[in-house]
Amino acid sequence: FTYFNGKPRWNRPSPVTLTYAFSPGNLIDYINMSEMRAVFKRSFSRWALVIPVTFYESEDYYSADIRIGFYRGDHGDGEPFDGVLGVLAHAFSPENGRFHLDAAETWAIDFNQVKSKAAVDLESVATHEIGHVLGLAHTSVKEAVMYPSLSPRTKKVDLKIDDVEGVQALYGSNPNFKFSSLLESENSSNNG
Amino acid sequence: RIVTDPSTVITVDTRNSTWHDFTRFLDAGMGSQVRGMSELKQYFQRFGYLPIPETNFTDTFDDQLESAVTMYQTKLGLPVTGKLDSDTISTIMSPRCGVSDTNHTLKTTKH
């Protein structure tokens, strides 16, 4: 795992509470909001399981700590999106909170429902970008969520030891989290 | 036998308009000149492997590009060959996160 320059984190009294919200005018119309909310809730929960940080969805986009939106091309932050595939999303380091996804992608929640060869798993990308929002940069561990690339029609949502150790070095461990559960999960997936 | 539902016909081209033709650089080595290699250099600049100030990239595989390839392979957990081998080209062409791998350019402070 690696960090952004200066190792920024959300510098608040523990336990840290962060709100997130969806940009009202920058969403995609083929995924309904209840499904979208469920995907992001699961993605945030994975990180919340391992660190003492709690995430709440807020209705107030402008005051939320983490602001999520889907954008096309040049969307004003100096990091234009490039159409289908290529760059999928980006997020800013703490305590900025901007979380942008490329609206040009074919975002999928269930690959059984979306047949495009270019479909990208929304939950995998969301989980990765939340890592950036929390302060993790890219890792060289291919199996980890924080590895920079993701093939189309691939799901990678489970945090690996590299991801967990990285984020826990920033925020500490969730007292209810046991490393043994992660090791068991990794071993079973390796053997499977 | 599973019959394909006509509504599931795949119509989207999975190639990225920017990076799909990077296969032409496969096995290019030091000193070689391949048309469009400057785009590959822009890719490496974009993700933090070449210095930002450079703007007029040439199409020549030079020392700077070799260094960028080596650094990329190291950072991405690939076999470090310093060459544009198939593993490296394939990884470069994969869809990815827009955050830089080294300079971490998306690090503005909260407004």
Side-chain angles (χ1 to χ4, degrees):
Chain A
F1 55 86
T2 62
Y3 301 109
F4 293 98
N5 296 336
K7 209 175 170 185
R9 65 186 287 276
W10 291 85
N11 205 6
R12 299 180 179 191
S14 190
V16 175
T17 297
L18 297 173
T19 57
Y20 64 93
F22 299 95
S23 171
N26 296 286
L27 291 167
I28 46 175
D29 56 12
Y30 54 89
I31 295 180
N32 70 48
M33 268 320 285
S34 62
E35 287 180 305
M36 181 79 74
R37 285 196 172 98
V39 164
F40 278 84
K41 188 174 183 180
R42 285 197 298 274
S43 305
F44 279 110
S45 298
R46 285 194 190 88
W47 292 101
L49 273 175
V50 304
I51 51 174
V53 176
T54 308
F55 300 96
Y56 293 108
E57 188 187 338
S58 163
E59 291 297 317
D60 186 352
Y61 173 76
Y62 297 98
S63 69
D65 298 309
I66 303 162
R67 296 170 306 285
I68 303 162
F70 291 80
Y71 300 90
R72 280 178 198 276
D74 186 353
H75 51 285
D77 63 5
E79 300 287 339
F81 284 131
D82 56 2
V84 179
L85 301 179
V87 169
L88 305 173
H90 57 230
F92 290 66
S93 61
E95 300 177 81
N96 181 285
R98 277 182 287 177
F99 180 145
H100 298 166
L101 299 113
D102 189 348
E105 308 303 341
T106 303
W107 294 104
I109 295 176
D110 178 358
F111 288 131
N112 292 320
Q113 303 287 325
V114 181
K115 301 298 180 187
S116 167
K117 280 170 82 175
V120 178
D121 185 53
L122 179 61
E123 196 164 333
S124 301
V125 174
T127 307
H128 175 97
E129 298 305 328
I130 292 166
H132 288 317
V133 168
L134 288 168
L136 290 177
H138 288 146
T139 182
S140 57
V141 177
K142 280 184 189 172
E143 298 74 25
V145 159
M146 293 315 295
Y147 193 72
S149 67
L150 179 77
S151 299
R153 304 195 70 79
T154 302
K155 202 167 176 78
K156 186 159 74 172
V157 295
D158 294 326
L159 302 185
K160 296 293 187 271
I161 291 172
D162 184 76
D163 302 307
V164 175
E165 286 181 341
V167 79
Q168 287 188 338
L170 287 175
Y171 297 94
S173 176
N174 183 322
N176 300 317
F177 173 73
K178 290 186 176 65
F179 247 104
S180 55
S181 60
L182 193 70
L183 289 167
E184 280 168 23
S185 155
E186 285 201 14
N187 286 338
S188 65
S189 60
N190 288 342
N191 294 334
Chain B
R1 177 165 169 248
I2 300 168
V3 179
T4 310
D5 176 346
S7 67
T8 63
V9 170
I10 294 158
T11 55
V12 177
D13 189 342
T14 60
R15 299 173 305 173
N16 174 255
S17 57
T18 314
W19 309 334
H20 77 270
D21 55 355
F22 281 2
T23 46
R24 69 186 191 276
F25 305 130
L26 183 64
D27 295 330
M30 178 69 90
S32 61
Q33 192 152 358
V34 183
R35 194 173 166 193
M37 195 171 273
S38 57
E39 291 167 30
L40 180 64
K41 291 181 179 177
Q42 283 167 17
Y43 174 100
F44 281 123
Q45 183 193 54
R46 162 85 176 73
F47 295 109
Y49 297 96
L50 281 173
I52 297 288
E54 182 70 61
T55 50
N56 294 316
F57 290 120
T58 66
D59 286 338
T60 305
F61 194 120
D62 50 22
D63 289 342
Q64 212 178 21
L65 180 57
E66 186 182 54
S67 160
V69 170
T70 303
M71 192 175 163
Y72 180 82
Q73 291 168 333
T74 306
K75 284 290 291 184
L76 276 285
L78 299 166
V80 180
T81 61
K83 294 175 181 166
L84 293 168
D85 51 47
S86 57
D87 271 0
T88 305
I89 290 290
S90 158
T91 308
I92 288 170
M93 289 168 57
S94 293
R96 57 161 293 153
C97 172
V99 174
S100 168
D101 295 336
T102 59
N103 294 333
H104 312 312
T105 51
L106 300 180
K107 59 177 178 62
T108 57
T109 51
K110 188 172 185 176
H111 298 292

